[in-house]
Amino acid sequence: MTEVLLLVGILVAAFVGYNIGGATTGPAFGPAVGANILSKGIAAALMSIFFAIGAFTIGREVVDTLGNELVTSTAIFTLEANVAVLFFIGGALFIGNYAGVPASTSMTAVGAIAALGLATGELNWAVLGEIAIWWIVAPIIGFWIGGVVGRYFYTRINEWVAIEGNAAEDALLGIDTSGYIPRLHIETGVSRREWTGSVVVIVIGCLMGFSSGTSNIANAVAPLVGSGQLAEDPAIIIGSIAVAIGAFTIARRTLDTLGNDITNLPLTAAVVVAVISSTIVVGLSWIGIPASFVVIATMSIVGLGWGRATRTTRLSEAARGEETAVSVGALTADEEGEPSPEIGEEEVSDIPKASDLFNPSTTARVILMQNVVPIISTTGAFLTFRYVPIFGF
């Protein structure tokens, strides 16, 4: 019976990893796919590789936090409880993936494990408090870094880098399946400028894949590792393989949402947001804090747009109380490679409306599911462990 439950636990953990692959590939490589730089197959392959690297290096710290520190006694991680916890994590994430929305895997997993600890009286409130504080502080940091970059550096970065999408019918890098053996396809006739921008976008996507591995591998395997039923290295291997399967299959929906539907965010802005968010996530993973990349990235976008919009007013003018007019759609004001105006010299009329930046209906759906998915996981787990007698708590 124990062997059967362990097998079920591993399968459910793999199901969680599968959904993590679906939820995190979109944020990492959606801009590259949307700009026709990478095919979905190449994006999935790169995501699989760099997720595994992040999981095997820094990801161990987060596995230890969720598997050993979030609850005061790992004895509550029975095989039955592990299966239930992972079921709620995977089931909630699957709902988000089915809707084509990349939900916060960290919030979903922490919610389910914390619910188990709360229902059994074994929740480590100090650790949960530390995680919650960083969940508040990290997006604020992302906002202010984005704001500083948007006000003082974004237009010059846009002028220097000049990242452009690929106008060709096929992706710059794709997989040719016309023959018996699939092979790498590289689009010809592409300018040096396009290749330079494309390489930058791909590298940033790989960084995001790495940061996802550092933070999210624990969401799939931490309960099994914490219970001592599965060693850490085999658990990470199983989780990484499952993530790869998710990246090649269900992630196609979130790649469409993040690459085409939600925003017309310029590639330059997308790269800046990715660097800020990935750096913060990797830093938090280093100290064992599971972080939500999607939330941090969202606040970084808002901060970047706010900083870009405030370029219409000098600090000296604001200090004198002069009226400041800004727009949250500021990021779309710049065409890639345009000359950089000085602060205070831009006209408000040059800055488009917010509706030019976001698709309102898709954005509303994303925000809704970002909140619903963790609530489903947490509430379902708590009610189950508190009132279902089979678990014996």
Side-chain angles (χ1 to χ4, degrees):
M1 183 64 179
T2 300
E3 290 77 7
V4 174
L5 280 175
L6 178 59
L7 177 60
V8 172
I10 292 174
L11 290 176
V12 178
F15 177 67
V16 174
Y18 168 80
N19 282 284
I20 289 174
T24 59
T25 304
F29 289 97
V33 172
N36 207 23
I37 293 172
L38 292 178
S39 70
K40 292 179 180 178
I42 295 294
L46 291 175
M47 181 68 190
S48 304
I49 293 170
F50 285 91
F51 183 97
I53 295 174
F56 270 99
T57 53
I58 302 175
R60 298 175 184 274
E61 302 297 328
V62 185
V63 171
D64 185 60
T65 297
L66 294 189
N68 298 308
E69 297 179 7
L70 186 55
V71 294
T72 56
S73 173
T74 56
I76 64 174
F77 282 133
T78 63
L79 283 174
E80 295 88 349
N82 282 335
V83 172
V85 166
L86 292 170
F87 171 80
F88 283 111
I89 297 172
L93 290 176
F94 181 78
I95 293 173
N97 285 329
Y98 185 78
V101 176
S104 171
T105 55
S106 293
M107 289 184 174
T108 304
V110 170
I113 296 174
L116 171 60
L118 181 62
T120 58
E122 298 289 348
L123 178 61
N124 190 329
W125 287 98
V127 173
L128 180 62
E130 183 181 6
I131 293 173
I133 288 172
W134 277 112
W135 280 356
I136 297 172
V137 172
I140 295 174
I141 293 174
F143 172 86
W144 282 108
I145 294 176
V148 171
V149 172
R151 179 174 173 84
Y152 296 105
F153 304 106
Y154 179 76
T155 55
R156 296 196 182 279
I157 293 173
N158 203 49
E159 178 184 357
W160 295 336
V161 179
I163 299 175
E164 298 177 344
N166 173 32
E169 182 177 350
D170 297 322
L172 291 183
L173 293 178
I175 300 177
D176 184 0
T177 58
S178 60
Y180 291 104
I181 301 176
R183 57 189 179 87
L184 181 66
H185 167 75
I186 302 177
E187 185 70 19
T188 58
V190 179
S191 68
R192 183 175 180 180
R193 185 179 187 177
E194 285 181 306
W195 270 115
T196 301
S198 299
V199 168
V200 172
V201 174
I202 293 170
V203 169
I204 298 306
C206 294
L207 172 63
M208 294 172 68
F210 173 83
S211 71
S212 177
T214 65
S215 181
N216 288 318
I217 188 62
N219 303 332
V221 303
L224 288 175
V225 174
S227 68
Q229 300 292 334
L230 193 62
E232 190 172 65
D233 284 348
I236 292 177
I237 292 174
I238 292 171
S240 297
I241 292 174
V243 167
I245 296 173
F248 276 98
T249 54
I250 198 171
R252 294 177 177 273
R253 295 179 64 89
T254 56
L255 280 169
D256 284 335
T257 299
L258 270 294
N260 302 308
D261 294 346
I262 187 172
T263 180
N264 295 317
L265 196 67
L267 279 178
T268 305
V271 166
V272 171
V273 168
V275 171
I276 294 172
S277 306
S278 297
T279 302
I280 293 174
V281 169
V282 171
L284 291 178
S285 298
W286 193 278
I287 61 175
I289 301 296
S292 172
F293 177 89
V294 175
V295 174
I296 296 173
T298 299
M299 291 304 298
S300 298
I301 292 173
V302 175
L304 190 63
W306 175 80
R308 170 64 183 83
T310 62
R311 287 180 59 85
T312 58
T313 304
R314 295 182 176 89
L315 291 179
S316 59
E317 295 171 346
R320 291 196 298 268
E322 296 184 15
E323 182 178 358
T324 301
V326 299
S327 166
V328 294
L331 294 178
T332 55
D334 296 311
E335 295 294 333
E336 279 80 2
E338 72 169 12
S340 173
E342 296 297 328
I343 293 178
E345 294 182 357
E346 294 181 80
E347 298 293 333
V348 177
S349 59
D350 294 332
I351 302 176
K353 299 178 181 179
S355 58
D356 296 327
L357 179 60
F358 292 105
N359 180 316
S361 62
T362 305
T363 303
R365 177 165 58 91
V366 169
I367 294 174
L368 175 65
M369 294 305 297
Q370 282 289 319
N371 289 278
V372 168
V373 169
I375 290 174
I376 292 174
S377 174
T378 304
T379 305
F382 176 77
L383 293 176
T384 299
F385 293 123
R386 187 66 177 267
Y387 297 109
V388 177
I390 188 176
F391 296 102
F393 296 131

